[in-house]
């Protein structure tokens, strides 16, 4: 920041000459004290009778000495805080207010797609829903698929070898697209979640039950409600019942979502 203001105070006490300079650089401030003479000269900065800083010059013999201190700070609810200190913090809601190194109040918390675990850690917990021709992304935006194609529903740069595709086809009405199946592309293999609870790995049909079966790092299980595929290392769950697909994200904060689930 550029220099915004400077205040100089000069006084004479006995044989000592005292010069006090206050500098302001945007949100930061500094105090420079120079004393010429013999003896101790001290300058205290107080806010509401609370000592914030002290600068002093002690001349044993007649000479000129100086000292400089940083007097930057933040004011919050009537209290002054030094740079680099925590003003308040609530781990239950992952919220904190700090006085930054540049003496500005900064508030932090969980992002719009995250929630607090109650221990100061933010995690993402978002759901993408695809039903019929409609896609509701993790931000709650809704859109419809008009043609009969395979679309990328979910991918993330943190896992380049994992992709979720939604395959849209017509049924009785030729002018409306419906979600017909979901494909998980993992390490070059395709896991197809199809109608009637059928699951295929490439060209082979898998036999599944309610007990999870690990297939290329994906835990697959099936019950009367549908088929669930869970990628445990990123805490991504994909459920498909033949009509509706739900992709639930419970990964760490900052995970980016690409595909229709990221922006329908």
């Amino acid at each position: 920041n550029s220099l915004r203001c400077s205040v100089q105070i000069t006084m004479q006490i006995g044989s000592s000459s005292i010069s006090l300079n206050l500098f302001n650089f945007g949100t930061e401030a500094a105090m420079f004290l120079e004393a010429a003479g013999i003896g101790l000269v001290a300058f205290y900065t107080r806010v509401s009778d609370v000592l914030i800083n002290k600068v002093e010059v002690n001349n044993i013999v007649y000479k000129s000495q100086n000292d400089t201190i940083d007097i930057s700070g933040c004011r919050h609810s009537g209290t002054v805080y030094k740079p680099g200190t925590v003003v308040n913090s609530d781990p239950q809601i992952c919220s904190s207010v700090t006085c930054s190194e540049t003496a500005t109040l900064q508030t932090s918390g969980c992002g719009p797609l995250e929630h607090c675990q109650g221990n100061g850690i933010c995690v993402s917990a978002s759901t993408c829903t695809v039903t019929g021709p409609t896609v509701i992304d993790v931000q709650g935006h809704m859109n419809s698929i008009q043609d009969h194609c395979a679309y990328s529903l979910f991918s993330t740069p943190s896992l380049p070898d994992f992709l979720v595709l939604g395959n849209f086809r017509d049924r009785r009405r030729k002018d409306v697209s419906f979600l017909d199946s979901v494909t998980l592309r993992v390490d070059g293999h395709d896991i197809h979640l199809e109608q009637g609870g059928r699951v295929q790995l490439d060209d082979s049909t898998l036999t599944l039950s309610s007990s999870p079966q690990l297939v290329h790092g994906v835990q697959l299980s099936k019950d009367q409600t549908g088929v669930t595929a869970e990628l445990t290392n990123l805490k991504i769950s994909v459920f498909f019942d033949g009509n509706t697909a739900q992709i639930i994200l419970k990964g760490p904060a900052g995970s980016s979502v690409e595909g229709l689930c990221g922006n329908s």
Side-chain angles (χ1 to χ4, degrees):
N1 294 326
S2 59
L3 178 64
R4 294 188 179 181
C5 69
S6 173
V7 178
Q8 182 180 47
I9 303 173
T10 303
M11 63 191 77
Q12 187 76 30
I13 301 178
S15 60
S16 297
S17 174
I18 301 171
S19 177
L20 178 67
N21 290 268
L22 301 176
F23 301 95
N24 174 249
F25 298 84
T27 60
E28 301 176 74
M31 181 169 61
F32 176 81
L33 177 65
E34 182 178 19
I38 300 176
L40 173 66
V41 175
F43 190 87
Y44 301 87
T45 56
R46 297 178 180 270
V47 177
S48 301
D49 293 330
V50 177
L51 178 64
I52 303 300
N53 283 304
K54 180 180 73 171
V55 58
E56 60 183 29
V57 173
N58 189 12
N59 291 334
I60 305 301
V61 297
Y62 192 93
K63 61 183 299 186
S64 177
Q65 295 193 79
N66 59 71
D67 194 8
T68 305
I69 62 169
D70 185 356
I71 59 171
S72 306
C74 304
R75 183 185 293 272
H76 181 75
S77 299
T79 305
V80 176
Y81 297 87
K82 290 185 177 181
T85 59
V86 177
V87 177
N88 60 52
S89 178
D90 188 349
Q92 293 298 319
I93 59 175
C94 297
S95 175
S96 65
V97 178
T98 59
C99 181
S100 72
E101 295 296 339
T102 56
T104 57
L105 286 174
Q106 294 183 343
T107 303
S108 63
C110 294
L113 301 181
E114 302 167 350
H115 79 282
C116 184
Q117 289 189 142
N119 56 356
I121 299 176
C122 296
V123 296
S124 61
S126 307
T127 301
C128 173
T129 303
V130 185
T131 181
T134 303
V135 179
I136 304 174
D137 63 27
V138 294
Q139 302 177 24
H141 301 152
M142 184 173 64
N143 217 323
S144 294
I145 301 300
Q146 303 297 324
D147 49 15
H148 309 148
C149 296
Y151 282 89
S152 170
L153 298 180
F154 172 84
S155 65
T156 177
S158 59
L159 197 65
D161 296 326
F162 181 74
L163 174 67
V164 180
L165 296 167
N167 307 301
F168 294 85
R169 296 182 180 176
D170 58 51
R171 292 184 182 174
R172 293 182 180 179
R173 292 184 55 179
K174 302 299 182 181
D175 59 336
V176 179
S177 295
F178 292 91
L179 179 65
D180 182 73
S181 63
V182 176
T183 300
L184 281 68
R185 187 158 293 166
V186 186
D187 295 332
H189 296 276
D190 288 339
I191 301 174
H192 304 285
L193 313 182
E194 300 179 344
Q195 297 292 311
R198 187 172 64 174
V199 179
Q200 287 195 221
L201 172 61
D202 296 329
D203 296 326
S204 303
T205 301
L206 299 178
T207 301
L208 301 177
S209 65
S210 58
S211 299
Q213 178 179 336
L214 190 63
V215 179
H216 295 292
V218 179
Q219 288 188 341
L220 297 171
S221 61
K222 182 174 71 174
D223 57 21
Q224 67 275 11
T225 62
V227 178
T228 300
E230 186 172 0
L231 199 67
T232 55
N233 58 342
L234 276 185
K235 296 184 179 179
I236 300 171
S237 176
V238 181
F239 172 81
F240 183 59
D241 63 1
N243 296 303
T244 300
Q246 277 195 331
I247 302 174
I248 301 175
L249 314 176
K250 298 180 181 178
S255 295
S256 59
V257 180
E258 297 178 356
L260 293 181
C261 284
N263 184 354
S264 66

